[in-house]
Amino acid sequence: MKRFIFIVFFVLLSNICSAQNFVSEGDKLRQGGNLKEAIEAYKTDFHKSSKNWKNTYNLACAYALTFQKDSAYHYLNIALKDDTSLWALADADLYALIDDPRWFDIERRQLNRFQKHNGQLEQPEYALKLLNVILKDQALDYYIDQAKSYYIKNGNLPQWYYPLGSYKQEIYKNEYDKMLRLIDQYGWPKYSKVGKLAADAPLLVINHHESDSVRKKHLAQIKQACMEKEGSCMEFAKIQDRILVNENKPQIYGMQFRYNSERNLEPFPIIDPDYVDQRRNEIGLEPLKDYLKRKINFEWTIIQKE
């Protein structure tokens, strides 16, 4: 069970539905697990300025997380009128909405807005399917993040985490199988054909799979897409490092974390750590010091060599 917990906590891509660059009162409450209070805070801000689409979007997310679908759709439709991205179609905080007939209209309208603003995708239908895979792959992340916060505070996991964790593994397997069928039908997704967000779907699904044999099977293709600038180099680095960490070997890029004795996150051991930024720069990643500070608030102090 200990290894299973590591898989969920250290590799999972956190997918909190905050569309804002600042943290509002509603964001703080939602991140703290206080969804009812978060909704009231977002609604207060909405009545002050209904034109703040980012706040309205987060209000829709909070309603979706409490499975209040009608309210979620009401505010989501308002928010997306001024959003030309595809982010909402991959946002796991909206998971409760996707089996509703209204979700089809959300997908079509948002795809049209995106293409009107960014140009026509070569494979728009494939893009929609990939975005749906991302959303489902990260379903329940909000609740599992709450379990992580509980662990950091108390040193043990809440009982309700275990069925969610088990269900997550089932989701990962199902989405991987679906991903293979999509790749057989459409080919390996590329930034130039489905957009950057959708093209990362296989990488997330492969990273979350319980078997390292799956990651090793696809690693060459993932690296090739990275080097050709047709896929995410960050996700490639995560997958490469996860394979090494699971084999008890030092990682290359510093992308995998563990809890220390004080229940704070730190990177797993890194090979030649004074050259890690050189390796990261070769694939277009930011310096590790900046990444660790932003990602887990960790101070990386090892001086880098050229």
Side-chain angles (χ1 to χ4, degrees):
M1 181 59 67
K2 186 175 181 181
R3 178 176 175 79
F4 173 71
I5 292 169
F6 280 172
I7 290 175
V8 173
F9 282 170
F10 298 123
V11 183
L12 194 63
L13 177 67
S14 180
N15 193 23
I16 296 175
C17 172
S18 178
Q20 305 185 58
N21 293 323
F22 67 95
V23 179
S24 69
E25 183 62 25
D27 295 336
K28 293 177 183 177
L29 290 165
R30 178 166 50 85
Q31 292 168 13
N34 302 308
L35 288 172
K36 181 178 179 180
E37 293 86 350
I39 287 172
E40 293 307 313
Y42 286 136
K43 286 176 67 176
T44 297
D45 288 343
F46 175 80
H47 291 306
K48 290 179 181 178
S49 177
S50 61
K51 294 182 179 180
N52 183 349
W53 73 269
K54 296 178 180 179
N55 176 77
T56 308
Y57 179 77
N58 287 338
L59 173 57
C61 288
Y63 270 122
L65 288 168
T66 57
F67 284 76
Q68 299 182 67
K69 297 183 181 181
D70 289 343
S71 294
Y73 269 111
H74 172 72
Y75 289 105
L76 185 61
N77 278 305
I78 294 173
L80 293 183
K81 288 179 180 179
D82 295 315
D83 179 19
T84 58
S85 77
L86 295 175
W87 171 248
L89 306 187
D91 193 335
D93 283 356
L94 301 176
Y95 177 68
L97 307 184
I98 63 176
D99 290 330
D100 189 292
R102 288 171 287 186
W103 186 252
F104 177 83
D105 293 333
I106 292 287
E107 285 185 319
R108 295 296 158 177
R109 286 199 297 268
Q110 208 56 29
L111 179 63
N112 288 338
R113 291 187 186 105
F114 174 85
Q115 293 189 125
K116 184 177 180 180
H117 187 264
N118 298 282
Q120 186 75 23
L121 294 173
E122 288 188 35
Q123 296 177 303
E125 293 302 318
Y126 192 15
L128 289 179
K129 295 178 187 295
L130 292 168
L131 293 168
N132 185 260
V133 167
I134 294 174
L135 189 155
K136 289 184 176 179
D137 177 75
Q138 300 191 75
L140 309 179
D141 280 8
Y142 173 81
Y143 312 101
I144 290 179
D145 279 344
Q146 296 304 307
K148 179 172 67 174
S149 298
Y150 186 97
Y151 171 79
I152 293 172
K153 181 178 180 180
N154 299 287
N156 63 285
L157 288 165
Q159 293 183 358
W160 50 262
Y161 160 77
Y162 294 98
L164 288 184
S166 179
Y167 182 44
K168 281 292 292 186
Q169 293 302 306
E170 182 179 340
I171 290 175
Y172 291 154
K173 182 180 184 305
N174 290 340
E175 293 311 302
Y176 175 70
D177 292 342
K178 182 191 298 183
M179 191 74 255
L180 290 181
R181 293 193 295 270
L182 288 174
I183 291 172
D184 285 343
Q185 181 178 357
Y186 295 99
W188 190 270
K190 297 182 177 182
Y191 283 172
S192 59
K193 294 188 176 182
V194 299
K196 288 189 174 182
L197 181 58
D200 284 345
L203 285 67
L204 298 177
V205 172
I206 290 165
N207 195 9
H208 293 162
H209 198 281
E210 64 180 354
S211 174
D212 268 342
S213 63
V214 167
R215 278 177 284 283
K216 291 177 181 179
K217 173 184 176 182
H218 297 284
L219 185 62
Q221 176 66 69
I222 294 169
K223 183 177 182 179
Q224 179 182 346
C226 158
M227 301 309 292
E228 294 176 352
K229 302 187 184 305
E230 288 283 8
S232 171
C233 289
M234 179 173 289
E235 294 302 322
F236 157 66
K238 289 179 183 179
I239 293 170
Q240 174 66 87
D241 278 354
R242 184 176 178 189
I243 291 171
L244 293 171
V245 164
N246 286 349
E247 294 177 343
N248 294 316
K249 297 178 181 178
Q251 55 180 331
I252 296 174
Y253 301 105
M255 305 299 287
Q256 296 297 323
F257 316 132
R258 64 185 179 188
Y259 285 115
N260 59 26
S261 60
E262 298 177 349
R263 298 198 296 274
N264 294 320
L265 286 172
E266 64 180 14
F268 277 95
I270 300 170
I271 188 171
D272 296 329
D274 46 350
Y275 286 99
V276 65
D277 279 355
Q278 184 180 97
R279 297 190 296 269
R280 291 174 63 87
N281 183 62
E282 288 173 354
I283 60 172
L285 299 183
E286 66 184 315
L288 186 59
K289 179 180 179 179
D290 298 338
Y291 179 75
L292 293 179
K293 182 63 178 179
R294 175 171 55 82
K295 195 73 174 178
I296 60 174
N297 197 29
F298 181 86
E299 298 293 340
W300 177 256
T301 59
I302 296 180
I303 297 175
Q304 296 298 288
K305 296 179 181 178
E306 294 293 333

